[in-house]
Amino acid sequence: MNWDNPLFKSLSWSGEITNREQKEKVAKLVSEKVSKGDVIGVGSGSTALLALESISKRVKEEKLQITAIPTSKEAALHCNYYDIPTTTLLESRPNWGFDGADEVDEKLCLIKGRGGALFAEKLVMASSSKTYILVDESKFVSKLGEKYAVPIEVDPRAIHLVESELIKNFNPLLVKLRMANAKDGPVITETGNLLMDVKFQEITPLMEQQVKAIPGVIESGLFLNYSVEILSL
Ligand SMILES: O=C(CO)[C@H](O)[C@H](O)COP(=O)(O)O
């Protein structure tokens, strides 16, 4: 593959990266955690991408030979671009991982999934004994749900059922099907599902399990009790 090709350039992070300077510094911090032979869960989004770039420099300079478990096709493409071999959860378990987040509260609970990769991100995080969450200052909130709606990945056959169960059980402020920007119709996830963005009145500790218990819900962007360490400036 010719990575100088404009096709790859359009695959790499297309939009402007917000708070880029902070994200780059945090990316450098996580690159210092890498040891030779590590199997690393690689998150998705702009911060995770900058971290991968920083890690790839160390890997090259110090010949570290790591393996990545990417959480999205985007992350897999970037691993390929940086010559980092990949594996899957079927073959290996990560020693540790890194990822970004949309919101972090003081109990280290997270909202993730702006990029739509929440299902694989949660699988990889739950399989890792530790995940570094890389955030710039804009991600800290005093109350989860303050800025972002919670993304929920739903089997396409279940959208009406899930919507009515969410309304019955939680009386949310807003339930919205996520629509695509560069294609007609809704966003379709990497596993062929749809995304609902839900603004809850309040996010409670049991909500991750309660939402997941609705038939048709594949996963939610609530990450309420995981082994995470926040890396920020
Ligand atoms: O959960 C995610 C993707 O599904 C991202 O990690 C999250 O949206 C943060 O993105 P960024 O680092 O670009 O701010």
Side-chain angles (χ1 to χ4, degrees):
M1 176 106 50
N2 172 13
W3 292 110
D4 292 328
N5 190 304
L7 177 63
F8 177 73
K9 294 222 156 52
S10 66
L11 281 171
S12 68
W13 198 260
S14 42
E16 197 182 318
I17 299 183
T18 54
N19 290 344
R20 185 177 187 122
E21 210 175 302
Q22 277 191 32
K23 286 179 177 177
E24 277 172 346
K25 286 188 182 151
V26 173
K28 185 146 189 319
L29 289 182
V30 83
S31 74
E32 286 154 17
K33 311 280 181 194
V34 177
S35 302
K36 189 173 179 179
D38 279 352
V39 178
I40 303 173
V42 172
S44 300
S46 61
T47 321
L49 166 59
L50 291 170
L52 191 65
E53 188 177 38
S54 191
I55 287 171
S56 76
K57 283 185 193 143
R58 266 204 71 202
V59 165
K60 230 173 228 138
E61 281 162 21
E62 299 173 41
K63 300 191 177 37
L64 287 176
Q65 283 173 345
I66 60 163
T67 309
I69 301 188
T71 54
S72 61
K73 292 194 170 114
E74 179 206 42
L77 279 165
H78 286 117
C79 289
N80 190 325
Y81 177 64
Y82 291 119
D83 285 329
I84 295 173
T86 57
T87 185
T88 70
L89 288 177
L90 289 177
E91 281 109 37
S92 203
R93 255 183 110 104
N95 301 109
W96 59 278
F98 64 88
D99 206 340
D102 301 310
E103 287 189 5
V104 184
D105 75 4
E106 59 184 16
K107 292 190 190 120
L108 312 189
C109 295
L110 318 171
I111 292 181
K112 289 184 46 54
R114 175 204 50 75
L118 56 128
F119 182 29
E121 288 172 340
K122 197 174 280 190
L123 290 178
V124 173
M125 194 182 291
S127 307
S128 309
S129 47
K130 181 188 253 187
T131 302
Y132 294 102
I133 297 296
L134 318 176
V135 285
D136 61 81
E137 62 188 2
S138 72
K139 307 298 180 71
F140 292 105
V141 293
S142 49
K143 213 160 168 255
L144 220 54
E146 206 172 280
K147 296 182 179 170
Y148 273 85
V150 177
I152 300 179
E153 182 160 346
V154 179
D155 183 292
R157 293 164 293 186
I159 48 169
H160 297 306
L161 174 65
V162 172
E163 183 188 27
S164 61
E165 288 296 304
L166 285 169
I167 291 170
K168 188 173 85 190
N169 297 332
F170 304 105
N171 191 22
L173 301 168
L174 183 77
V175 181
K176 225 170 99 186
L177 192 60
R178 194 181 295 184
M179 302 306 283
N181 279 331
K183 120 179 204 309
D184 293 341
V187 168
I188 309 220
T189 68
E190 290 182 5
T191 34
N193 298 307
L194 303 178
L195 288 169
M196 285 178 171
D197 288 305
V198 184
K199 204 82 183 125
F200 290 102
Q201 310 217 16
E202 194 189 2
I203 293 171
T204 58
L206 288 180
M207 222 148 145
E208 184 176 353
Q209 290 96 308
Q210 289 167 340
V211 169
K212 182 83 181 273
I214 301 172
V217 168
I218 307 295
E219 199 43 87
S220 83
L222 289 171
F223 288 62
L224 302 187
N225 191 16
Y226 292 81
S227 302
V228 295
E229 184 178 325
I230 306 299
L231 284 187
S232 66
L233 295 178

